[in-house]
Amino acid sequence: MAAGEEEGAAAGTETESEAAVEELRSFKDLGVTDVLCEACDQLGWKVPTKIQVEAIPVALQGRDVIGLAETGSGKTGAFALPILQALLETPQRLFALVLTPTRELAFQISEQFEALGSSIGVQTTVIVGGIDTMSQSLALAKKPHVIIATPGRLVDHLENTKGFNLRALKFLVMDEADRILNMDFETEVDKILKVIPRDRKTFLFSATMTKKVQKLQRAALKNPVKCAVSSKYQTVEKLQQYYIFIPSKFKDSYLVYILNELAGNSFMIFCSTCNNTQRTALLLRNLGFTAIPLHGQMSQNKRLGSLNKFKAKARSILLATDVASRGLDIPHVDVVINFDIPTHSKDYIHRVGRTARAGRSGKSITFVTQYDVELFQRIEHLIGKKLPAFPMQEEEVMMLTERVAEAQRIARMELREQGEKKRSRNDNDDDTEEAIGVRNKVAGGKKKKRKAF
């Protein structure tokens, strides 16, 4: 395809894809094989999404794909189905690698691969930080069909796990590529690209086409087809968006008021730091709310535990940092609260995209203090609309301040205790490491430096 033709095709994607969705009523129409169509049916995927309509036929033809689509648009299916179909045609171990920015997203993609490929016996392995490397090395030794990994931990295994390499790899997927690069994984991605075959198929999926993503596209993809189903930043029509303008010192009281006002809903509350996430979760628990935190300083098991409790509706409030703002598919979030306003306006789109998914309605409420006005104006400019104020009864909020102040005091004490426990645990770990070091010296055993790649 000539460059001009390709640009013309890309420009017409929006209208063509809408027409295509009308015509294509099933995955079978896209060229997906019967056994995988049945798997889609069992997962409740009745009709392909826009990005699936655009990307699957192109991928099945053996082309490299750049998929531009917002979060919650069915991107995983758009790359998982062509990979599984190719695996059916030429069965092979260590067949595909999917790179993702966060651990939770890696586990979610793994679940979808296993669900879609359950009838054909697909084996996947998740390689992420926060989990014992020895058990991961054993899983890699079994040579799964698909590896889903965060870049840092994968490079660690490529450099240090004996016998593990990706020289036979047929497919590379970079999901949420803009976020992978924003999290400064460029060096790791470069290392991975150097040790995998050049003769492979590459799918690059991203919500935004940044300069870094364009650079990566040039380095990693060969004559790709661009499948864009959303060119501008936008929020879903069925999402009701509000803001509340409040004094910074009463933020906690306003949060408690809103949780009481909208009781019976499930909430995702976004905070800017791990510490504030933990503190607010403790505060809400002290006031009798079923709140659980999810942030980067928790162990991987605790993070998955929190996510699963919320997904299973055992807890109605999930407090999270931006680790949970993208990619995670939690179907039943009714309300998103931006307790701390996001510093990057684009993160607002991803956060509020946790609700009003798959055609359902939802609410989002953004807290704006005297320090956040400029950030809030940037968000309104980005989404191209002025948000209405959420209706509040100020007197009722002020009646809560005494109870909230007491809960804040207890939460601070609990946070301090948790910090002290963590410090003493780390001290014990240091002692153990010192003892091991002494033992090794006595035994004369110096560890050999392992070769990189």
Side-chain angles (χ1 to χ4, degrees):
M1 192 189 276
E5 280 176 75
E6 205 162 307
E7 277 171 32
T13 48
E14 294 249 12
T15 47
E16 283 165 26
S17 70
E18 278 166 31
V21 174
E22 291 304 311
E23 286 169 35
L24 295 161
R25 290 286 170 196
S26 70
F27 285 96
K28 194 169 177 60
D29 297 334
L30 297 178
V32 177
T33 190
D34 288 347
V35 65
L36 292 173
C37 286
E38 282 170 32
C40 292
D41 206 43
Q42 284 167 0
L43 280 177
W45 297 2
K46 303 295 178 200
V47 182
T49 65
K50 282 186 188 179
I51 189 65
Q52 289 165 355
V53 167
E54 290 269 335
I56 290 173
V58 174
L60 289 175
Q61 286 164 21
R63 297 288 300 274
D64 282 5
V65 173
I66 298 170
L68 292 178
E70 69 268 19
T71 180
S73 58
K75 284 185 288 185
T76 309
F79 60 75
L81 288 166
I83 287 172
L84 291 171
Q85 190 146 321
L87 184 61
L88 267 172
E89 287 161 14
T90 53
Q92 180 200 303
R93 296 287 178 168
L94 297 174
F95 189 73
L97 166 66
V98 182
L99 292 178
T100 78
T102 66
R103 302 168 185 185
E104 286 71 26
L105 185 52
F107 281 102
Q108 186 175 292
I109 291 169
S110 171
E111 281 169 18
Q112 293 217 335
F113 262 102
E114 283 175 0
L116 286 167
S118 58
S119 58
I120 58 173
V122 167
Q123 290 168 358
T124 69
T125 293
V126 176
I127 301 296
V128 294
I131 288 173
D132 170 49
T133 48
M134 188 53 74
S135 59
Q136 288 180 348
S137 299
L138 292 170
L140 290 171
K142 290 177 184 169
K143 298 196 172 174
H145 300 106
V146 183
I147 296 169
I148 300 105
T150 48
R153 180 52 70 93
L154 184 73
V155 166
D156 192 28
H157 280 288
L158 283 166
E159 290 177 339
N160 299 319
T161 298
K162 205 175 176 184
F164 170 57
N165 66 68
L166 293 169
R167 288 197 278 269
L169 196 75
K170 295 286 182 256
F171 282 86
L172 170 68
V173 180
M174 285 176 274
D175 192 23
E176 304 275 10
D178 51 345
R179 184 117 184 260
I180 289 175
L181 298 174
N182 281 346
M183 290 167 79
D184 292 332
F185 280 130
E186 282 174 86
T187 314
E188 286 83 353
V189 171
D190 285 345
K191 283 183 179 178
I192 292 162
L193 290 175
K194 278 176 188 158
V195 298
I196 60 175
R198 291 190 171 201
D199 184 23
R200 60 165 197 272
K201 300 287 171 284
T202 308
F203 302 151
L204 189 149
F205 283 84
S206 182
T208 56
M209 182 49 96
T210 62
K211 281 179 184 167
K212 283 181 177 179
V213 174
Q214 282 176 330
K215 189 177 157 192
L216 179 62
Q217 169 204 323
R218 286 194 295 273
L221 283 80
K222 279 184 272 188
N223 190 21
V225 177
K226 189 177 179 183
C227 304
V229 295
S230 94
S231 53
K232 63 180 190 292
Y233 295 106
Q234 54 191 20
T235 48
V236 189
E237 282 172 30
K238 290 195 174 182
L239 172 67
Q240 300 169 342
Q241 301 172 77
Y242 300 96
Y243 78 95
I244 55 169
F245 187 62
I246 52 173
S248 179
K249 65 175 180 178
F250 294 124
K251 264 175 106 169
D252 290 344
S253 300
Y254 277 88
L255 177 63
V256 173
Y257 170 82
I258 283 172
L259 293 175
N260 284 332
E261 279 297 292
L262 301 175
N265 288 299
S266 63
F267 298 85
M268 270 187 90
I269 302 170
F270 284 100
C271 302
S272 56
T273 64
C274 298
N275 194 55
N276 203 24
T277 306
Q278 194 68 27
R279 180 200 71 83
T280 314
L282 292 169
L283 167 88
L284 293 177
R285 278 187 202 165
N286 290 328
L287 290 165
F289 293 100
T290 57
I292 43 168
L294 174 68
H295 56 77
Q297 286 178 5
M298 292 164 68
S299 72
Q300 189 56 40
N301 284 343
K302 281 189 176 168
R303 279 163 73 164
L304 286 174
S306 287
L307 204 51
N308 290 336
K309 278 178 191 167
F310 187 67
K311 277 186 174 180
K313 302 189 181 182
R315 298 286 184 277
S316 61
I317 302 168
L318 180 69
L319 289 112
T321 53
D322 280 314
V323 78
S325 70
R326 277 169 78 164
L328 297 187
D329 186 24
I330 305 164
H332 62 87
V333 181
D334 302 315
V335 184
V336 166
I337 296 176
N338 288 306
F339 185 62
D340 293 327
I341 201 163
T343 21
H344 300 293
S345 311
K346 290 168 194 170
D347 287 338
Y348 174 84
I349 309 276
H350 299 303
R351 285 182 180 191
V352 300
R354 300 299 96 217
T355 185
R357 288 169 85 83
R360 286 182 289 271
S361 59
K363 270 191 187 71
S364 76
I365 302 167
T366 299
F367 282 31
V368 184
T369 71
Q370 62 271 40
Y371 310 112
D372 306 323
V373 177
E374 194 184 330
L375 289 171
F376 181 62
Q377 285 170 340
R378 276 189 218 156
I379 287 167
E380 286 190 323
H381 178 71
L382 180 76
I383 60 175
K385 60 168 88 167
K386 289 267 180 209
L387 299 189
F390 185 76
M392 306 280 293
Q393 297 293 328
E394 311 288 332
E395 316 80 61
E396 287 183 31
V397 177
M398 290 303 118
M399 284 163 65
L400 293 166
T401 52
E402 211 169 298
R403 275 180 61 216
V404 169
E406 178 59 16
Q408 284 171 332
R409 191 181 63 78
I410 298 165
R412 278 196 298 272
M413 280 165 53
E414 288 173 334
L415 207 54
R416 208 174 301 126
E417 279 169 23
Q418 285 178 1
E420 281 164 9
K421 273 185 194 166
K422 205 172 183 182
R423 272 195 297 279
S424 66
R425 248 200 326 270
N426 290 344
D427 290 345
N428 290 340
D429 289 348
D430 291 345
D431 292 345
T432 313
E433 279 178 26
E434 210 171 290
I436 292 167
V438 169
R439 248 196 336 266
N440 285 345
K441 274 183 186 172
V442 171
K446 272 193 175 180
K447 270 192 171 181
K448 284 182 185 173
K449 212 175 184 190
R450 283 169 166 175
K451 274 187 186 173
F453 299 119

